[in-house]
Amino acid sequence: MAFLVSINIILCIVLMSYNFVVMNKKKRINHYVISITIALNGLVSFIIIKEINFITIAVTIMLLIWAFFHTWIQIKYAPNYIENQFFVLYIVTIIFSMTLNIVYLDSKLSIYQSVPYFGVSLFIFGQIIAYLSLFTQAIESNGKRLAKIYQKGIYRYFIHPRLVGEILSIVSLICMIVLTPHWFLLVPVFLFYILFILWQKLFKTSYYVLNKRYK
């Protein structure tokens, strides 16, 4: 377990520091690097712990999809950055990554499997809210489409679809572990991540989709 935790910490420090120091000259950290770091740590934990069941497979796939979409948005559309509180961000990412070890170890002890099934459904719904709006029509301002002016379909109810989708994605992870023995250790970590992105106004202050500079 100590070896696995060491790998988690090293992966977090190396990947995030490379983005922070080399790619962004100590000015900011790209949000997609956080999800890539967490997803890779989840994959490593899944391989090393070797606990194969619905929860472990679902959590691993969900994390990889989560990281893929964040990276895709960063490359093709509008990037999201964290520009302060870097130490807190490192701690949050490291603790989030390490808690995945407990998720995998406790997965076979979940007392009721219907809630994890609901978690997967909630994750899919969150991704739909966050990313399907990329393909909808919206009014443009200076070549940029703003989240708050989506008027059609479900998006008229969400000022910031990506923020709503991100929160639902994390809540879906909570659903996966809420009936495991150590849920009381895991839930606060996931909730703190949500509080951190709200604190940083991560998806509120950036343009949501198309920006011609990034095409």
Side-chain angles (χ1 to χ4, degrees):
M1 187 67 174
F3 172 70
L4 185 53
V5 169
S6 299
I7 292 177
N8 295 151
I9 295 172
I10 290 170
L11 270 175
C12 288
I13 292 174
V14 170
L15 292 176
M16 293 178 66
S17 296
Y18 178 78
N19 183 259
F20 179 49
V21 176
V22 178
M23 297 178 67
N24 290 313
K25 310 302 180 185
K26 298 184 179 180
K27 294 180 180 179
R28 55 188 175 234
I29 295 177
N30 297 84
H31 177 249
Y32 78 99
V33 174
I34 303 169
S35 54
I36 288 177
T37 301
I38 292 171
L40 285 178
N41 272 313
L43 183 60
V44 169
S45 297
F46 176 74
I47 293 171
I48 293 178
I49 293 175
K50 297 179 181 178
E51 190 66 56
I52 301 176
N53 53 57
F54 175 77
I55 291 178
T56 58
I57 293 172
V59 168
T60 304
I61 293 174
M62 286 160 61
L63 291 173
L64 291 172
I65 292 173
W66 184 56
F68 169 78
F69 276 126
H70 283 169
T71 306
W72 178 56
I73 293 295
Q74 175 77 22
I75 293 172
K76 284 192 67 74
Y77 298 98
N80 290 103
Y81 301 108
I82 290 91
E83 298 184 308
N84 53 61
Q85 304 300 331
F86 301 121
F87 178 75
V88 177
L89 178 60
Y90 270 81
I91 297 301
V92 169
T93 308
I94 289 171
I95 294 177
F96 195 124
S97 297
M98 290 192 299
T99 57
L100 293 175
N101 300 326
I102 303 176
V103 172
Y104 291 130
L105 290 170
D106 279 2
S107 59
K108 63 183 177 182
L109 303 175
S110 179
I111 60 176
Y112 192 57
Q113 287 294 336
S114 293
V115 178
Y117 294 147
F118 173 73
V120 172
S121 301
L122 189 62
F123 176 80
I124 294 171
F125 182 62
Q127 300 306 296
I128 290 172
I129 290 175
Y131 300 111
L132 188 62
S133 58
L134 293 172
F135 306 103
T136 63
Q137 202 116 50
I139 303 169
E140 293 194 359
S141 174
N142 298 321
K144 302 172 183 178
R145 294 193 293 177
L146 308 182
K148 65 181 180 181
I149 51 180
Y150 282 102
Q151 299 293 330
K152 297 181 179 179
I154 196 170
Y155 299 104
R156 62 187 167 188
Y157 302 108
F158 301 111
I159 295 175
H160 304 286
R162 282 194 65 197
L163 177 61
V164 174
E166 185 77 357
I167 292 173
L168 288 179
S169 297
I170 301 304
V171 172
S172 71
L173 290 176
I174 293 176
C175 291
M176 304 300 288
I177 54 85
V178 73
L179 296 178
T180 57
H182 296 98
W183 65 269
F184 56 89
L185 298 175
L186 304 173
V187 171
V189 174
F190 297 145
L191 291 178
F192 190 79
Y193 174 83
I194 292 174
L195 291 175
F196 183 80
I197 62 175
L198 291 173
W199 178 30
Q200 293 294 304
K201 299 180 180 179
L202 193 57
F203 300 112
K204 291 183 178 180
T205 57
S206 63
Y207 289 106
Y208 177 44
V209 284
L210 188 59
N211 186 328
K212 295 177 181 177
R213 290 194 298 128
Y214 299 102
K215 294 191 76 174

